[in-house]
Amino acid sequence: MPELPEVETIRRGLGRQLPGRTVLRVRVHQPRLRWPVPRRLGREFPGQAIDSVERRGKYLLLRSHAGTVIVHLGMSGSLRLADPQAPRQLHDHVEWLLDDGRCLRLHDPRRFGAVLWTTGDPLTHRLLVHLGPEPLGRSFNAAYLYQRTRNRSASIKSLLMNSRLVVGVGNIYASEALFAAGIHPARAGGRVAHARCARLVIAVKQTLRRAIRAGGTTLKDFADSDGRPGYFRQQLQVYGRADEPCMCCGTPLSQRVIAQRSTFYCRRCQR
DNA sequence: CCCGATTCCTGTAGGC
DNA sequence: TGCCTACAGGAATCGG
């Protein structure tokens, strides 16, 4: 489900609500997520005040003095602040009871998400240590993208979605950014010239910034930490629009599987 | 190292 | 209505 704009939307919501709150108790109803929820979380996190809510790629970090909770939402995960009295829904797997009488709940039907606990520097955790630059940061620039794509035969789309190259760009925003840059998603990374890398970097940043401003994309069930949907769906140019006219030239948009995922593009505007 | 395919899991939409 | 298949916002892992 969530790509960087959706995770960032949740981070902003939680960042307004959680810092300063103390976790009274962690309840794990289903520990079998992408990886088992560590038992230490329930022993070591309660009693801690949450210092900050940060994001690295699509990972959320709830930092406390004793350690950091690392949350990944996978394909179908969401985090909601709720009244603990409200009945738990099917697939509400983990809940954190807070000292203000509310609770944070992780809902994740497909269980591709993860909840981990680390007492060290979370950025050196094995899942985070090899992550590429943040797409909205300065180090994600034309020179970097050009250098990293040289001699690569994989499609530019798969490289954009490779978190070792750049984090946070998933299946929706890869299609959107490639359309905005006029680059065919199946083009080999090594065949994207420098000027096009520059355009692509700008397109990625602009697409993600606009999506964040709209509160993310709700295709089916994405909601922020207060349960509100995102509105970027109305601004999608190609994703989910197979056979509909290109916003730019009117040609019916194409859909095909690239990098094992449904990909949407305009065969006339993207080369 | 790089690449593409497979895998984890549940819900839902569409065809018959 | 029911049954079956395909597909869905991610990404680690494996075999070549």
Side-chain angles (χ1 to χ4, degrees):
Chain A
M1 177 211 299
E3 302 182 36
L4 185 146
E6 291 74 38
V7 178
E8 177 62 16
T9 297
I10 290 173
R11 186 199 69 76
R12 291 180 182 188
L14 296 179
R16 284 191 290 268
Q17 307 275 2
L18 293 186
R21 297 268 65 84
T22 292
V23 175
L24 300 181
R25 174 156 187 212
V26 180
R27 286 191 171 132
V28 179
H29 302 99
Q30 169 58 277
R32 302 180 64 172
L33 305 183
R34 180 71 166 81
W35 290 280
V37 178
R39 304 169 78 92
R40 286 181 67 190
L41 174 70
R43 296 197 299 265
E44 299 179 15
F45 197 31
Q48 294 295 312
I50 298 172
D51 296 328
S52 65
V53 182
E54 292 165 36
R55 180 187 59 71
R56 176 75 176 100
K58 298 175 189 169
Y59 292 90
L60 281 166
L61 308 174
L62 310 185
R63 287 179 173 273
S64 76
H65 179 72
T68 301
V69 182
I70 300 173
V71 178
H72 195 288
L73 298 173
M75 288 278 258
S76 60
S78 59
L79 281 169
R80 291 278 274 279
L81 281 163
D83 174 354
Q85 306 301 326
R88 202 159 47 84
Q89 303 293 304
L90 185 64
H91 306 306
D92 282 351
H93 302 312
V94 181
E95 57 188 342
W96 293 265
L97 301 178
L98 305 173
D99 63 349
D100 63 356
R102 292 184 302 170
C103 69
L104 179 66
R105 283 175 169 160
L106 174 79
H107 179 84
D108 186 7
R110 293 178 73 179
R111 289 194 272 130
F112 292 165
V115 175
L116 301 166
W117 170 252
T118 180
T119 53
D121 177 354
L123 300 183
T124 64
H125 188 279
R126 70 175 190 97
L127 293 177
L128 278 70
V129 71
H130 293 119
L131 294 180
E134 289 288 330
L136 298 176
R138 299 171 103 81
S139 59
F140 182 63
N141 55 45
Y144 170 82
L145 183 62
Y146 183 72
Q147 179 258 109
R148 289 294 304 268
T149 51
R150 285 317 85 189
N151 301 318
R152 303 286 294 262
S153 61
S155 66
I156 186 63
K157 189 203 181 204
S158 72
L159 295 175
L160 263 193
M161 292 175 65
N162 180 344
S163 63
R164 286 182 174 239
L165 200 146
V166 62
V167 295
V169 183
N171 202 39
I172 295 178
Y173 300 111
S175 278
E176 292 297 312
L178 286 163
F179 173 75
I183 300 170
H184 196 289
R187 174 175 283 271
R191 294 181 167 270
V192 179
H194 191 278
R196 288 167 152 255
C197 285
R199 270 163 64 193
L200 184 52
V201 164
I202 289 169
V204 166
K205 290 175 190 279
Q206 186 172 68
T207 301
L208 296 178
R209 281 203 194 96
R210 286 177 176 167
I212 291 169
R213 205 174 307 136
T217 299
T218 297
L219 288 180
K220 185 168 169 276
D221 52 16
F222 167 74
D224 69 15
S225 57
D226 294 317
R228 290 185 297 253
Y231 296 99
F232 194 69
R233 185 179 191 174
Q234 300 154 226
Q235 296 181 59
L236 293 176
Q237 304 291 298
V238 290
Y239 188 87
R241 298 192 60 243
D243 303 326
E244 292 177 40
C246 171
M247 306 270 198
C248 189
C249 74
T251 300
L253 293 174
S254 304
Q255 171 180 8
R256 59 182 259 220
V257 174
I258 296 172
Q260 282 79 246
R261 311 291 295 278
S262 264
T263 306
F264 300 85
Y265 62 99
C266 174
R267 63 178 185 273
R268 178 144 184 264
C269 295
Q270 295 174 256
R271 303 284 177 171

